[in-house]
Amino acid sequence: MLSDEAILALHHSPRSRWFVRFLTAYGYFGSNRFDEALAHVNVLLNNAGRERGLQTDIQEAVTLLNLMLHVTFGNHRLLRSLCHSALRRMQRENLLYSPVVIVETIRGYIGAPSPAKQKELLRRALGTMRSDKPAIAELYVDVDSWFESLITD
């Protein structure tokens, strides 16, 4: 795992450090090294309030990656709370439509009564997301491919 010291030495700006840590977490997620990914995501989430002027796009991407990790872990009880919190923050910050659709889809996915209903929900969300202009966070996180992988599993 990339050490905190190595990340801090890379750049001096908070945005650069956040971005490098996010890319590290996302790389671990893509390599199925979920525990390492979650460790980096937790550092980002725990320090979110301390970083003034940090752009919403990175915070939004970290939130989505956190939800994706907890779906992967099967933490459905925790996901209910995380989704509720994420939606509340996104609505308060007037974020674009697409991230809200993603979080609502994840919330519906964990509450769906069967795998068939889960897949139907994901297909509907993919259709909606592809017809919308992508949100900034979707430039960082490939939610479409992740939803498709959940459909094929």
Side-chain angles (χ1 to χ4, degrees):
M1 179 156 81
L2 195 58
S3 72
D4 290 339
E5 294 81 23
I7 290 172
L8 290 173
L10 290 172
H11 295 285
H12 295 289
S13 80
R15 179 172 171 73
S16 296
R17 285 193 303 271
W18 266 65
F19 191 63
V20 168
R21 189 174 295 276
F22 171 77
L23 289 177
T24 302
Y26 195 56
Y28 282 136
F29 180 80
S31 301
N32 293 332
R33 295 174 62 187
F34 303 121
D35 290 328
E36 289 100 335
L38 186 60
H40 282 281
V41 166
N42 283 336
V43 168
L44 292 169
L45 292 172
N46 290 333
N47 292 320
R50 296 185 196 142
E51 301 288 352
R52 299 281 176 224
L54 188 66
Q55 287 186 309
T56 306
D57 58 346
I58 296 177
Q59 291 178 357
E60 188 181 318
V62 170
T63 298
L64 293 177
L65 183 56
N66 187 47
L67 294 173
M68 292 164 64
L69 280 162
H70 286 289
V71 167
T72 303
F73 286 137
N75 295 335
H76 292 191
R77 279 191 176 162
L78 178 60
L79 273 164
R80 286 184 185 92
S81 173
L82 292 175
C83 287
H84 179 73
S85 176
L87 286 170
R88 213 176 47 235
R89 186 181 57 76
M90 289 176 178
Q91 290 165 350
R92 183 177 62 242
E93 295 175 7
N94 293 320
L95 293 184
L96 297 174
Y97 176 70
S98 196
V100 173
V101 169
I102 295 166
V103 175
E104 287 176 344
T105 300
I106 291 171
R107 185 168 60 178
Y109 177 85
I110 62 172
S114 69
K117 292 287 185 189
Q118 288 176 328
K119 291 176 183 185
E120 177 186 326
L121 180 70
L122 293 171
R123 284 188 191 99
R124 244 189 353 258
L126 279 170
T128 301
M129 289 167 38
R130 289 179 179 153
S131 66
D132 290 341
K133 182 179 176 186
I136 298 296
E138 290 177 77
L139 300 175
Y140 298 117
V141 181
D142 187 1
V143 177
D144 287 12
S145 293
W146 181 66
F147 277 0
E148 288 171 355
S149 75
L150 291 175
I151 291 169
T152 59
D153 283 347

